[in-house]
Amino acid sequence: MKKFSVKIRLTVWLTLLTVLLAAVLFAFMLIVSSTVYSHSAMSQLSQTVKNNVTQISMEQDQLRFGDEFHFYQNGVSTLIYSRNEALLAGQIPVSFTAEEAFQNGLTRTVSSGDQSWLVLDLWLPMGWENGVWVRGLMEAPDHRLIARNLLPVFLIALPVFALLAALGSYRIVKRAFVPLDTISTTAAAINEARDLSRRIVLPPGRDEFSRLADTFNQLFERLERSFEAEKQFTADASHELRTPVSVIKGACEYAQKYDETLEERQETLSMIYRQAVRMSDLISQLLSITRLDQGTELTSPETVNLGELLRFLCEQQHYDQRRLTLEVPETLTVWADPALLTRLAQNLIDNAFKYGRPDGHVWVSACRSETEVLLQVRDNGIGIAPDQQKKIWQRFYQVDPSRSRENGAGLGLSMVEQIARVHGGYMTLDSVPDRGSTFTLHLPVQNMV
Ligand code: ADP
């Protein structure tokens, strides 16, 4: 059975069930019709015998029968017997040969040969010999005959029934499976054509299939987005890497042809060095982002004194220390990876200076609230327009590429956001163009120690 499709299996089960139901129905009909026949035969017997009894009288020791007395009526033979069971009037049906003792008022079934009879005796008290027995005899309904009459009907109806049930079930099952077919053909088409923009379209409804289709569509949407992002990422990464490579290539060619003095060569060499550093920074950023993405970036969380970490970091900065203010409490410890936290803070500090005014100021602070630890880097620089504030977290996105091209490729904030995420936290930005920006890392309470 397992090698057949679910549709066929369901159809077979439904058909078998219908046939079984029809058989049970047939047996039930047989029982009911036999019972009804028996009851109506018994009441006919009793009615006829009772009617006849009212028509019997005795005049001068002679039995008299009224006009409405019938020895044979409605299939009932009426017989009159004396007290000592001698037949006085009436004719015993030829096929009734049983010796049946008299029992007053009890209708019973008596077998005679291969036939059954319904027998009812009534004792009618009257002057002569104190009374007479009135016996009613009637052929009992033959159950086998009823079955024999019903069987052809059943035998003809059953195959028709089974066929209708099979066709009906198959139609219903097929229709019920249409959405599933649509889902699997669309999924197969997407797979074959590698067209992730296609979606499963089902008629509106809130059944299991619609929910399945919704889930698949969401999956396709996510796949499409990550596929597009992957494509974009690869294109951007190769573009970003190609630029310093072609600068280095061009510089080498030029130096080979035209650089004659030592100074010229030194200059070319330092340009090549700058480009190589840029490339190496880019490669390590790309590697780090990929590892954070895949969850393979080594995170070694430990108890970190955030105040100490930030103080040490700020002291290391090559920026003018007078333009940098640090505000941290004496003890503020968190459970985090110190290397990643340092990278996050360094990126934010670099940006704050890079996009600040020439004489601008940068504030680095950390504090704790009831539920979070906050690390903030604020500047009074150029700020970010509201419509750009969401985009700056995307990889390779730069508001003004000409401004940041020399040192940066638009990967810093993407990495910052990922570092926040691997710590179970998130980043927020508060920025006003020409007034400045505040980048805040929110670490959840679990990270407090
Ligand atoms: P990069 O600095 O290498 O361009 P980032 O991912 O660090 O890349 O930043 C993305 C963009 O966000 C930057 O190009 C810049 O336009 C904007 N940005 C980041 N930090 C600031 C800031 N403190 N003030 C203004 N703009 C900022």
Side-chain angles (χ1 to χ4, degrees):
M1 196 73 175
K2 285 224 167 98
K3 64 180 181 231
F4 295 112
S5 72
V6 178
K7 273 185 237 171
I8 299 288
R9 277 189 270 167
L10 265 175
T11 308
V12 170
W13 276 116
L14 285 172
T15 311
L16 284 179
L17 203 70
T18 317
V19 170
L20 194 76
L21 264 174
V24 170
L25 198 72
F26 174 70
F28 181 71
M29 266 166 60
L30 213 63
I31 293 168
V32 168
S33 53
S34 296
T35 315
V36 169
Y37 266 126
S38 294
H39 269 105
S40 71
M42 278 180 183
S43 76
Q44 197 170 317
L45 173 67
S46 133
Q47 200 65 47
T48 313
V49 174
K50 279 176 187 163
N51 274 348
N52 278 342
V53 163
T54 59
Q55 298 293 312
I56 303 172
S57 58
M58 175 126 348
E59 281 173 26
Q60 295 157 1
D61 280 352
Q62 285 288 315
L63 282 172
R64 295 264 175 247
F65 300 105
D67 291 342
E68 294 191 9
F69 183 92
H70 300 281
F71 281 104
Y72 184 81
Q73 190 188 24
N74 302 332
V76 178
S77 304
T78 305
L79 310 162
I80 315 293
Y81 287 85
S82 68
R83 182 189 182 84
N84 49 13
E85 300 181 5
L87 182 64
L88 298 175
Q91 205 173 0
I92 302 172
V94 191
S95 47
F96 184 79
T97 52
E99 294 286 329
E100 175 64 12
F102 284 84
Q103 294 181 55
N104 190 20
L106 179 72
T107 308
R108 60 226 182 256
T109 309
V110 175
S111 297
S112 169
D114 58 353
Q115 205 174 339
S116 294
W117 290 82
L118 290 175
V119 180
L120 171 63
D121 303 322
L122 288 179
W123 174 251
L124 180 60
M126 46 181 50
W128 186 69
E129 279 195 345
N130 288 337
V132 287
W133 281 107
V134 179
R135 166 167 282 182
L137 284 176
M138 184 186 195
E139 272 187 46
D142 187 349
H143 298 310
R144 280 167 304 177
L145 194 71
I146 298 171
R148 233 175 287 137
N149 286 340
L150 279 177
L151 197 63
V153 180
F154 179 69
L155 287 180
I156 294 170
L158 191 70
V160 178
F161 225 71
L163 191 73
L164 283 178
L167 287 176
S169 314
Y170 187 71
R171 250 180 85 89
I172 291 169
V173 171
K174 202 173 158 205
R175 203 177 287 174
F177 273 71
V178 165
L180 205 59
D181 286 340
T182 315
I183 292 171
S184 67
T185 36
T186 316
I190 289 171
N191 183 33
E192 278 158 25
R194 300 191 184 281
D195 177 8
L196 286 171
S197 64
R198 281 184 69 167
R199 294 289 174 269
I200 298 163
V201 185
L202 291 185
R206 286 310 316 155
D207 57 9
E208 293 82 347
F209 290 124
S210 307
R211 287 205 295 276
L212 184 67
D214 282 351
T215 314
F216 266 110
N217 283 340
Q218 281 164 14
L219 180 75
F220 293 145
E221 190 138 351
R222 278 190 55 188
L223 274 176
E224 189 186 8
R225 258 190 281 129
S226 63
F227 193 66
E228 283 304 317
E230 203 69 37
K231 247 170 51 186
Q232 188 64 40
F233 181 72
T234 316
D236 289 342
S238 43
H239 176 258
E240 289 299 324
L241 283 169
R242 206 175 292 136
T243 314
V245 169
S246 32
V247 173
I248 290 173
K249 235 173 95 190
C252 289
E253 280 165 10
Y254 187 88
Q256 275 171 345
K257 280 188 196 157
Y258 308 108
D259 282 1
E260 284 176 355
T261 64
L262 191 63
E263 286 81 45
E264 281 174 338
R265 287 203 180 139
Q266 288 285 4
E267 209 177 296
T268 311
L269 272 178
S270 68
M271 188 216 276
I272 291 173
Y273 179 74
R274 278 202 309 276
Q275 294 302 326
V277 168
R278 191 180 158 196
M279 252 166 73
S280 129
D281 285 352
L282 193 66
I283 289 168
S284 60
Q285 268 184 327
L286 283 174
L287 260 177
S288 180
I289 283 178
T290 315
R291 284 183 187 148
L292 281 166
D293 251 359
Q294 295 170 342
T296 51
E297 170 84 53
L298 242 155
T299 48
S300 321
E302 57 185 72
T303 306
V304 180
N305 186 330
L306 197 56
E308 245 173 49
L309 183 141
L310 291 176
R311 199 166 299 120
F312 181 73
L313 184 69
C314 287
E315 280 165 12
Q316 301 294 308
Q317 297 304 312
H318 59 272
Y319 305 108
D320 183 351
Q321 289 289 333
R322 285 167 302 178
R323 291 175 56 204
L324 184 62
T325 305
L326 177 69
E327 295 159 349
V328 283
E330 268 311 305
T331 51
L332 176 53
T333 47
V334 288
W335 183 253
D337 181 323
L340 289 182
L341 267 196
T342 308
R343 205 184 298 168
L344 176 143
Q346 183 64 60
N347 262 288
L348 294 178
I349 294 170
D350 281 342
N351 279 351
F353 280 105
K354 211 166 21 162
Y355 304 105
R357 298 172 203 289
D359 57 343
H361 203 90
V362 175
W363 292 264
V364 177
S365 63
C367 63
R368 81 193 302 168
S369 75
E370 278 286 295
T371 52
E372 289 178 318
V373 171
L374 306 176
L375 187 164
Q376 272 184 344
V377 177
R378 179 163 66 92
D379 64 66
N380 54 358
I382 60 170
I384 302 163
D387 62 318
Q388 303 287 326
Q389 290 182 8
K390 266 200 176 141
K391 299 182 186 162
I392 55 163
W393 305 100
Q394 292 169 11
R395 283 167 198 178
F396 296 107
Y397 189 82
Q398 295 176 313
V399 176
D400 178 8
S402 63
R403 180 165 181 141
S404 42
R405 181 131 303 271
E406 259 309 299
N407 28 10
L411 289 173
L413 288 181
S414 160
M415 196 160 61
V416 162
E417 201 182 35
Q418 268 177 321
I419 294 174
R421 213 170 40 225
V422 295
H423 283 89
Y426 62 98
M427 292 299 304
T428 54
L429 165 65
D430 189 12
S431 182
V432 180
D434 293 328
R435 298 274 295 276
S437 314
T438 308
F439 286 86
T440 310
L441 162 71
H442 300 252
L443 284 178
V445 74
Q446 290 95 301
N447 293 59
M448 289 190 209
V449 263

